[in-house]
Amino acid sequence: MITTIADACELITDGTHYTPQDVGVGVPFLTVKDVGPNGLDFEGAAKISAEEYQRAKAGNSAPQKGDVLFSKDGTVGKVQIVEGDSPFAVLSSLAILRPKENVDARYLAHALRSPAAMDQAARRKTGSAIRRIILSDLARVSVPLPPLNDQRRIAAILDHADALRAQRRCVIDALHRLAGSVFSRLVNVVDEFSQLGEVADFFAGGSLPPGEPFAGQSGGYFHMKVSDMNRPGNETTIRSCAEWSDVPGPRSATCPAGSIVIPKRGGAISTNKKRVTLRPTVLDPNLMAVHPRDGLSLCYLKAWFDQFDLNTIVSGSSVPQLNKRDLAPLAIPVPSAEAQSLVTELTSSMDHRLDRARLSLAMHEELSDSLQARAFSGQL
C-alpha cells in the first residue's frame, strides 16, 4: 500500500515563524543545525524563556515524544525522531510530523530518508537563495505503508543497521582523537619547538624556483590539480611533463618528491586534504606544498599536518586563502630523530586502523543502503 505523508500523519506543521530571544538558559530551541545524524543537539541549541516556550507550544511549534522532525529549509531532508519527553521548541525550518496510530514513527523516519522520498522532496523544492519545501508539498510525498507489525519489523532491521554504522563512526572519531593526543602529549614533554618556516620549504604559485633541479628527470613531472587530492597514487595516470615548457596552462610552482601538498585557495581548503608527492610535481595554482628540510622526517611532518585543521589559519575575506605567511610562523615540536620515528610508528598504526574502520563503515553503509532499498520495495 502506498500512502502520502498527509494520510499517514494526524499533524503536519512547522516551528515558529519568528526567532525567540536566546536567553542562554532555559528551554532548548532547535533549528536545522541542531539536527544531526546521531540525534538532536539540545546542548548546543539556543535557549528560550518558559514564556516563549508556552507561546510556541500554543502554536503547535513544540514537538512531543514520537514526532518526526524533517528539515524543510536550506538543508532539506534531515530526519530525526523525538525520543524523550523533555520540552523544546523548533524554528519554522523544521517540519513536525505526528504519525497516526497505524503508523510507526521509526518506520516513517526511515521511509522519509529513503532515496525515493528524498527524490520527491527534492523535486518539490522551491526558492533561489534558500531552497525549501513547503508543508503542503511535503504532505504530498508518498511512502509505502505495510501493516503495522511489518512496519515495526522493518524499522527494527534498519535501526540495527544504523546502529552498526554509528558504532563504526564512533571508532573513527576515537582514532582521530587518539592520533591528536599523541601530539598533545608530545607538546608537553618536548622543549624544542621551531617555526614551520625554519624547518621546511614552501612551494606555491609564481615562477619556477631558481636552480630548479627536477627538469629532465626520468618520467618528467606529475601535474597535480585540486581534483587529484582525492586520488593518491595516481601519478602514472595523469599526464606528466618532461620539460617545464610543456606544462599546460599557467606556470605554477614545482615541488620535489616527498612534499606535502595542501589546497591554498577557495572552498577546497575546507576539505582539509593533505597529500604526499611520490615524484617531482607541477602544482596547480590552487595548491601549495611543504617539503621538510634535514632533521625533519617527512612521515613525522605528515603526521603533524594530519592533526592540523587548515581552516583555522585561512586568510582572505571573500575567498579563503592560505599562503606561506599563514603557515611559516606555526610552531611545530621537533623532537629527536628517534622520537620522530616513534611518533610516526604510532600514527602509522592508527592510520592503518583508521583505514580498516573506514572500509568497515563503507561496507556497512552499502549493506544499509541495500536493506533500505529492499525494505521500501516490498522485499524485506
Side-chain angles (χ1 to χ4, degrees):
M1 173 182 173
I2 301 295
T3 190
T4 63
I5 300 302
D7 290 332
C9 296
E10 64 181 46
L11 175 69
I12 299 176
T13 186
D14 57 10
T16 66
H17 287 247
Y18 64 94
T19 303
Q21 181 182 0
D22 183 357
V23 296
V25 178
V27 180
F29 183 79
L30 275 61
T31 65
V32 172
K33 73 174 181 61
D34 304 308
V35 180
N38 298 320
L40 304 176
D41 181 12
F42 295 106
E43 293 299 321
K47 306 297 188 295
I48 61 176
S49 66
E51 293 77 16
E52 285 290 359
Y53 168 71
Q54 291 299 330
R55 182 182 173 190
K57 185 177 180 180
N60 278 330
S61 295
Q64 64 185 39
K65 185 176 181 178
D67 287 350
V68 177
L69 301 184
F70 184 96
S71 64
K72 66 184 186 65
D73 292 2
T75 304
V76 173
K78 289 184 176 183
V79 182
Q80 281 297 341
I81 297 175
V82 180
E83 303 280 5
D85 294 312
S86 299
F88 71 100
V90 299
L91 189 64
S92 60
S93 54
L94 294 173
I96 303 169
L97 310 177
R98 189 161 299 158
K100 292 180 178 178
E101 289 186 356
N102 67 327
V103 178
D104 181 79
R106 306 203 72 81
Y107 173 85
L108 179 61
H110 284 296
L112 284 169
R113 295 188 190 106
S114 70
M118 287 296 182
D119 181 63
Q120 293 179 65
R123 285 188 280 110
R124 288 181 166 91
K125 286 193 293 188
T126 61
S128 53
I130 299 178
R131 301 288 285 169
R132 58 172 55 89
I133 179 172
I134 60 176
L135 285 178
S136 60
D137 285 338
L138 177 60
R140 291 189 294 174
V141 170
S142 60
V143 294
L145 191 69
L148 185 57
N149 286 339
D150 286 340
Q151 293 177 43
R152 290 170 176 163
R153 178 179 58 82
I154 290 170
I157 294 172
L158 296 180
D159 281 347
H160 184 62
D162 282 350
L164 290 175
R165 287 195 297 183
Q167 289 175 5
R168 296 305 182 274
R169 292 191 185 102
C170 286
V171 169
I172 291 172
D173 289 342
L175 287 171
H176 276 300
R177 290 194 299 270
L178 183 59
S181 71
V182 170
F183 279 93
S184 296
R185 291 175 180 268
L186 188 64
V187 167
N188 293 329
V189 299
V190 172
D191 296 325
E192 186 67 28
F193 282 78
S194 297
Q195 289 188 339
L196 186 59
E198 297 171 342
V199 293
D201 295 311
F202 297 84
F203 300 87
S207 59
L208 196 65
E212 193 279 323
F214 316 124
Q217 294 242 341
S218 175
Y221 299 96
F222 168 51
H223 185 211
M224 185 183 291
K225 304 177 290 298
V226 171
S227 59
D228 295 316
M229 295 294 289
N230 297 317
R231 296 183 287 176
N234 67 333
E235 281 85 345
T236 60
T237 63
I238 303 297
R239 178 180 182 270
S240 61
C241 307
E243 299 294 341
W244 176 246
S245 59
D246 293 335
V247 177
R251 293 189 177 186
S252 304
T254 63
C255 65
S259 297
I260 299 170
V261 179
I262 60 176
K264 62 166 291 190
R265 185 178 295 119
I269 297 175
S270 65
T271 65
N272 206 32
K273 296 283 187 182
K274 295 101 177 179
R275 174 174 172 176
V276 175
T277 61
L278 302 180
R279 61 185 293 180
T281 299
V282 176
L283 296 173
D284 181 279
N286 294 309
L287 299 172
M288 67 183 300
V290 182
H291 186 266
R293 297 176 187 169
D294 291 342
L296 188 64
S297 157
L298 170 64
C299 292
Y300 174 82
L301 180 60
K302 176 61 164 54
W304 178 81
F305 254 113
D306 282 342
Q307 312 314 313
F308 192 83
D309 185 358
L310 301 175
N311 297 283
T312 61
I313 58 170
V314 293
S315 57
S317 54
S318 57
V319 179
Q321 296 186 55
L322 281 176
N323 295 289
K324 178 179 178 180
R325 66 173 178 269
D326 301 311
L327 291 167
L330 296 177
I332 177 173
V334 185
S336 66
E338 293 78 11
Q340 290 185 41
S341 178
L342 177 60
V343 170
T344 298
E345 183 179 342
L346 289 171
T347 54
S348 295
S349 174
M350 284 181 279
D351 284 345
H352 178 64
R353 291 169 181 258
L354 269 170
D355 288 340
R356 291 171 57 187
R358 292 188 185 106
L359 178 60
S360 178
L361 175 60
M363 292 173 62
H364 279 89
E365 287 180 335
E366 184 177 348
L367 172 62
S368 181
D369 290 343
S370 174
L371 287 172
Q372 187 183 65
R374 293 170 60 191
F376 299 113
S377 62
Q379 302 177 49
L380 194 60

